[in-house]
Amino acid sequence: MYKLNYLVSIIIFFSSCSNVSFVNSQPENIDALVNIPQEYHGTYVFEDSTLFINSTRSYLVTDSSIGDMVIGKNLILKKKGNFFYINYYEENNYNKYGVYVLKINKALNYERIEILFPNITEKNIDLFNILNLEEVLEKKEFNGYSDDIDYLLDGVSDYQMRLLLQESMADDPVILKRIR
């Protein structure tokens, strides 16, 4: 039970770092992975454990799972270049996908994995097909630009995804490191 609660808290944390959800798994033009490539198997931890409560927990990545999350309907992984897109399905008012992205940089004896969170900002809001626009406008009218606004997007291009991730890349990154 502890593992399930911890997993749920991590997913809630990650989803709260993003203000965007998607109708379809991202990127839309890429097929989902059936298995995680062998080169990414191993045990990972958060580099800065002060960010997370009880974050000393490690995550074992195998051919079909990341920790307790198993690839399937509720977890869809996609890879494009050095980016892994982790799509998790949320069943609620809008059946939607939350997404966070692992940016993997590798060299001979170096590996850095950053966790990126897609976000809409005032600078890029006009560039997206926001499906829940009435709800967003109502929240903005009531709260102004607020962190609790969740944008539901459809038909996101590669360029638009880069714009969504751009803000996350400018912030201090959340880093995963491989320990085995």
Side-chain angles (χ1 to χ4, degrees):
M1 188 65 168
Y2 168 76
K3 287 182 180 180
L4 181 61
N5 289 338
Y6 185 71
L7 176 64
V8 169
S9 68
I10 290 293
I11 287 175
I12 288 171
F13 170 78
F14 283 148
S15 63
S16 67
C17 292
S18 177
N19 66 357
V20 178
S21 297
F22 302 88
V23 172
N24 299 301
S25 62
Q26 295 300 308
E28 291 183 31
N29 59 343
I30 302 288
D31 291 333
L33 295 175
V34 176
N35 294 309
I36 299 171
Q38 176 74 33
E39 65 185 293
Y40 300 110
H41 294 188
T43 304
Y44 297 84
V45 295
F46 292 104
E47 186 174 84
D48 184 359
S49 62
T50 60
L51 293 174
F52 306 98
I53 298 172
N54 298 323
S55 65
T56 55
R57 176 154 184 234
S58 60
Y59 293 87
L60 177 64
V61 176
T62 66
D63 64 334
S64 62
S65 67
I66 299 173
D68 296 334
M69 301 179 291
V70 178
I71 295 175
K73 178 187 177 213
N74 293 333
L75 178 66
I76 297 174
L77 301 178
K78 296 185 177 187
K79 184 176 185 311
K80 182 169 185 167
N82 62 337
F83 291 90
F84 263 94
Y85 293 81
I86 300 175
N87 296 270
Y88 52 94
Y89 189 69
E90 300 177 34
E91 294 181 43
N92 53 20
N93 295 345
Y94 303 101
N95 293 328
K96 59 186 179 180
Y97 288 93
V99 175
Y100 56 97
V101 180
L102 301 180
K103 179 182 176 187
I104 301 170
N105 295 313
K106 284 184 161 190
L108 290 175
N109 293 325
Y110 172 80
E111 179 180 65
R112 179 180 170 105
I113 302 172
E114 298 177 24
I115 303 174
L116 306 175
F117 309 98
N119 277 298
I120 284 185
T121 65
E122 289 182 49
K123 293 184 282 186
N124 66 15
I125 191 169
D126 296 333
L127 303 175
F128 299 97
N129 179 22
I130 300 170
L131 296 184
N132 61 337
L133 189 56
E134 288 180 19
E135 178 184 319
V136 167
L137 293 174
E138 186 178 302
K139 282 185 178 180
K140 282 183 187 176
E141 186 176 313
F142 184 72
N143 295 330
Y145 276 92
S146 174
D147 291 337
D148 67 346
I149 294 175
D150 184 28
Y151 301 90
L152 181 62
L153 303 181
D154 191 19
V156 177
S157 70
D158 288 343
Y159 174 73
Q160 289 173 316
M161 181 56 77
R162 282 194 301 272
L163 290 175
L164 290 171
L165 295 173
Q166 198 168 22
E167 294 295 319
S168 185
M169 287 189 259
D171 292 339
D172 288 333
V174 176
I175 307 291
L176 283 175
K177 67 179 180 178
R178 187 188 315 234
I179 58 174
R180 283 186 252 149

